[in-house]
mmCIF file of all heavy atoms in Angstrom:
data_model
loop_
_atom_site.group_PDB
_atom_site.id
_atom_site.type_symbol
_atom_site.label_atom_id
_atom_site.label_comp_id
_atom_site.label_asym_id
_atom_site.label_seq_id
_atom_site.Cartn_x
_atom_site.Cartn_y
_atom_site.Cartn_z
ATOM 1 N N LEU A 213 -23.184 4.131 17.277
ATOM 2 C CA LEU A 213 -22.848 5.468 16.784
ATOM 3 C C LEU A 213 -22.532 6.420 17.928
ATOM 4 O O LEU A 213 -21.752 7.373 17.756
ATOM 5 C CB LEU A 213 -24.007 6.017 15.948
ATOM 6 C CG LEU A 213 -24.249 5.300 14.617
ATOM 7 C CD1 LEU A 213 -25.540 5.782 13.970
ATOM 8 C CD2 LEU A 213 -23.077 5.514 13.665
ATOM 9 N N ASN A 214 -23.113 6.177 19.096
ATOM 10 C CA ASN A 214 -22.804 7.005 20.259
ATOM 11 C C ASN A 214 -21.528 6.559 20.957
ATOM 12 O O ASN A 214 -20.936 7.332 21.718
ATOM 13 C CB ASN A 214 -23.969 6.968 21.258
ATOM 14 C CG ASN A 214 -25.224 7.609 20.705
ATOM 15 O OD1 ASN A 214 -25.151 8.607 19.993
ATOM 16 N ND2 ASN A 214 -26.379 7.033 21.021
ATOM 17 N N ILE A 215 -21.123 5.318 20.716
ATOM 18 C CA ILE A 215 -19.930 4.783 21.366
ATOM 19 C C ILE A 215 -18.668 5.205 20.637
ATOM 20 O O ILE A 215 -17.607 5.384 21.252
ATOM 21 C CB ILE A 215 -20.005 3.242 21.437
ATOM 22 C CG1 ILE A 215 -21.271 2.821 22.188
ATOM 23 C CG2 ILE A 215 -18.767 2.654 22.088
ATOM 24 C CD1 ILE A 215 -21.316 3.275 23.624
ATOM 25 N N VAL A 216 -18.749 5.381 19.316
ATOM 26 C CA VAL A 216 -17.563 5.686 18.513
ATOM 27 C C VAL A 216 -16.807 6.911 19.017
ATOM 28 O O VAL A 216 -15.593 6.845 19.257
ATOM 29 C CB VAL A 216 -17.930 5.830 17.021
ATOM 30 C CG1 VAL A 216 -16.769 6.422 16.234
ATOM 31 C CG2 VAL A 216 -18.327 4.478 16.444
ATOM 32 N N PRO A 217 -17.459 8.071 19.192
ATOM 33 C CA PRO A 217 -16.695 9.232 19.664
ATOM 34 C C PRO A 217 -16.140 9.044 21.076
ATOM 35 O O PRO A 217 -15.060 9.550 21.400
ATOM 36 C CB PRO A 217 -17.711 10.379 19.593
ATOM 37 C CG PRO A 217 -19.046 9.738 19.530
ATOM 38 C CD PRO A 217 -18.854 8.428 18.861
ATOM 39 N N LEU A 218 -16.864 8.310 21.916
ATOM 40 C CA LEU A 218 -16.378 8.038 23.268
ATOM 41 C C LEU A 218 -15.115 7.184 23.225
ATOM 42 O O LEU A 218 -14.128 7.467 23.924
ATOM 43 C CB LEU A 218 -17.465 7.340 24.076
ATOM 44 C CG LEU A 218 -17.137 7.017 25.531
ATOM 45 C CD1 LEU A 218 -16.972 8.283 26.348
ATOM 46 C CD2 LEU A 218 -18.235 6.138 26.135
ATOM 47 N N SER A 219 -15.138 6.131 22.408
ATOM 48 C CA SER A 219 -13.964 5.266 22.275
ATOM 49 C C SER A 219 -12.785 6.021 21.683
ATOM 50 O O SER A 219 -11.632 5.823 22.087
ATOM 51 C CB SER A 219 -14.299 4.049 21.403
ATOM 52 O OG SER A 219 -15.224 3.202 22.034
ATOM 53 N N LEU A 220 -13.072 6.883 20.711
ATOM 54 C CA LEU A 220 -12.010 7.666 20.089
ATOM 55 C C LEU A 220 -11.320 8.540 21.126
ATOM 56 O O LEU A 220 -10.087 8.607 21.189
ATOM 57 C CB LEU A 220 -12.586 8.522 18.967
ATOM 58 C CG LEU A 220 -11.590 9.285 18.088
ATOM 59 C CD1 LEU A 220 -10.726 8.316 17.296
ATOM 60 C CD2 LEU A 220 -12.334 10.229 17.138
ATOM 61 N N TYR A 221 -12.124 9.209 21.972
ATOM 62 C CA TYR A 221 -11.553 10.051 23.024
ATOM 63 C C TYR A 221 -10.755 9.202 24.020
ATOM 64 O O TYR A 221 -9.646 9.561 24.411
ATOM 65 C CB TYR A 221 -12.650 10.807 23.769
ATOM 66 C CG TYR A 221 -12.171 11.371 25.081
ATOM 67 C CD1 TYR A 221 -11.381 12.523 25.120
ATOM 68 C CD2 TYR A 221 -12.475 10.729 26.285
ATOM 69 C CE1 TYR A 221 -10.910 13.014 26.328
ATOM 70 C CE2 TYR A 221 -12.004 11.218 27.496
ATOM 71 C CZ TYR A 221 -11.224 12.364 27.514
ATOM 72 O OH TYR A 221 -10.744 12.845 28.706
ATOM 73 N N ALA A 222 -11.333 8.071 24.441
ATOM 74 C CA ALA A 222 -10.717 7.257 25.483
ATOM 75 C C ALA A 222 -9.421 6.612 25.028
ATOM 76 O O ALA A 222 -8.455 6.530 25.792
ATOM 77 C CB ALA A 222 -11.693 6.179 25.941
ATOM 78 N N TYR A 223 -9.389 6.167 23.782
ATOM 79 C CA TYR A 223 -8.314 5.291 23.316
ATOM 80 C C TYR A 223 -7.195 6.005 22.568
ATOM 81 O O TYR A 223 -6.030 5.591 22.643
ATOM 82 C CB TYR A 223 -8.918 4.204 22.426
ATOM 83 C CG TYR A 223 -7.943 3.139 21.967
ATOM 84 C CD1 TYR A 223 -7.220 2.387 22.877
ATOM 85 C CD2 TYR A 223 -7.770 2.881 20.611
ATOM 86 C CE1 TYR A 223 -6.327 1.405 22.466
ATOM 87 C CE2 TYR A 223 -6.895 1.896 20.175
ATOM 88 C CZ TYR A 223 -6.173 1.166 21.113
ATOM 89 O OH TYR A 223 -5.302 0.202 20.691
ATOM 90 N N VAL A 224 -7.522 7.069 21.853
ATOM 91 C CA VAL A 224 -6.549 7.679 20.949
ATOM 92 C C VAL A 224 -6.011 8.984 21.536
ATOM 93 O O VAL A 224 -6.788 9.920 21.762
ATOM 94 C CB VAL A 224 -7.176 7.947 19.567
ATOM 95 C CG1 VAL A 224 -6.129 8.513 18.617
ATOM 96 C CG2 VAL A 224 -7.783 6.673 19.002
ATOM 97 N N PRO A 225 -4.719 9.074 21.780
ATOM 98 C CA PRO A 225 -4.167 10.314 22.326
ATOM 99 C C PRO A 225 -4.166 11.447 21.307
ATOM 100 O O PRO A 225 -4.094 11.211 20.098
ATOM 101 C CB PRO A 225 -2.731 9.928 22.718
ATOM 102 C CG PRO A 225 -2.405 8.754 21.872
ATOM 103 C CD PRO A 225 -3.699 8.023 21.631
ATOM 104 N N VAL A 226 -4.249 12.662 21.807
ATOM 105 C CA VAL A 226 -4.206 13.836 20.938
ATOM 106 C C VAL A 226 -2.876 13.871 20.193
ATOM 107 O O VAL A 226 -1.815 13.624 20.770
ATOM 108 C CB VAL A 226 -4.390 15.125 21.767
ATOM 109 C CG1 VAL A 226 -4.171 16.368 20.902
ATOM 110 C CG2 VAL A 226 -5.765 15.153 22.398
ATOM 111 N N GLY A 227 -2.953 14.135 18.889
ATOM 112 C CA GLY A 227 -1.754 14.203 18.057
ATOM 113 C C GLY A 227 -1.379 12.889 17.405
ATOM 114 O O GLY A 227 -0.524 12.858 16.521
ATOM 115 N N GLN A 228 -2.028 11.789 17.816
ATOM 116 C CA GLN A 228 -1.730 10.475 17.238
ATOM 117 C C GLN A 228 -2.184 10.425 15.780
ATOM 118 O O GLN A 228 -3.290 10.827 15.444
ATOM 119 C CB GLN A 228 -2.449 9.382 18.026
ATOM 120 C CG GLN A 228 -2.419 8.004 17.398
ATOM 121 C CD GLN A 228 -1.030 7.431 17.300
ATOM 122 O OE1 GLN A 228 -0.315 7.411 18.291
ATOM 123 N NE2 GLN A 228 -0.645 6.982 16.117
ATOM 124 N N ASP A 229 -1.316 9.918 14.909
ATOM 125 C CA ASP A 229 -1.677 9.743 13.507
ATOM 126 C C ASP A 229 -2.730 8.643 13.397
ATOM 127 O O ASP A 229 -2.472 7.489 13.750
ATOM 128 C CB ASP A 229 -0.425 9.378 12.693
ATOM 129 C CG ASP A 229 -0.716 9.186 11.209
ATOM 130 O OD1 ASP A 229 -1.857 9.456 10.778
ATOM 131 O OD2 ASP A 229 0.206 8.762 10.482
ATOM 132 N N LEU A 230 -3.901 8.996 12.914
ATOM 133 C CA LEU A 230 -5.001 8.045 12.826
ATOM 134 C C LEU A 230 -4.804 7.013 11.726
ATOM 135 O O LEU A 230 -5.544 6.027 11.666
ATOM 136 C CB LEU A 230 -6.319 8.791 12.586
ATOM 137 C CG LEU A 230 -6.735 9.778 13.686
ATOM 138 C CD1 LEU A 230 -8.023 10.499 13.303
ATOM 139 C CD2 LEU A 230 -6.899 9.079 15.021
ATOM 140 N N ARG A 231 -3.824 7.234 10.849
ATOM 141 C CA ARG A 231 -3.581 6.296 9.755
ATOM 142 C C ARG A 231 -2.462 5.298 10.045
ATOM 143 O O ARG A 231 -2.113 4.500 9.179
ATOM 144 C CB ARG A 231 -3.275 7.070 8.463
ATOM 145 C CG ARG A 231 -4.436 7.900 7.925
ATOM 146 C CD ARG A 231 -4.148 8.395 6.521
ATOM 147 N NE ARG A 231 -5.281 9.107 5.950
ATOM 148 C CZ ARG A 231 -5.326 10.428 5.741
ATOM 149 N NH1 ARG A 231 -4.277 11.172 6.060
ATOM 150 N NH2 ARG A 231 -6.399 10.995 5.224
ATOM 151 N N VAL A 232 -1.926 5.320 11.232
ATOM 152 C CA VAL A 232 -0.905 4.336 11.601
ATOM 153 C C VAL A 232 -1.547 2.947 11.616
ATOM 154 O O VAL A 232 -2.588 2.756 12.257
ATOM 155 C CB VAL A 232 -0.306 4.669 12.979
ATOM 156 C CG1 VAL A 232 0.505 3.499 13.517
ATOM 157 C CG2 VAL A 232 0.566 5.907 12.888
ATOM 158 N N PRO A 233 -0.980 1.947 10.928
ATOM 159 C CA PRO A 233 -1.628 0.627 10.844
ATOM 160 C C PRO A 233 -1.887 -0.032 12.189
ATOM 161 O O PRO A 233 -2.878 -0.759 12.338
ATOM 162 C CB PRO A 233 -0.644 -0.191 10.004
ATOM 163 C CG PRO A 233 0.043 0.832 9.151
ATOM 164 C CD PRO A 233 0.181 2.039 10.031
ATOM 165 N N GLY A 234 -1.019 0.213 13.176
ATOM 166 C CA GLY A 234 -1.247 -0.384 14.483
ATOM 167 C C GLY A 234 -2.511 0.108 15.142
ATOM 168 O O GLY A 234 -3.122 -0.609 15.940
#
Side-chain angles (χ1 to χ4, degrees):
L213 292 171
N214 294 323
I215 302 297
V216 168
L218 182 66
S219 293
L220 187 65
Y221 164 77
Y223 185 57
V224 183
V226 173
Q228 170 64 51
D229 180 7
L230 299 177
R231 295 192 176 109
V232 167

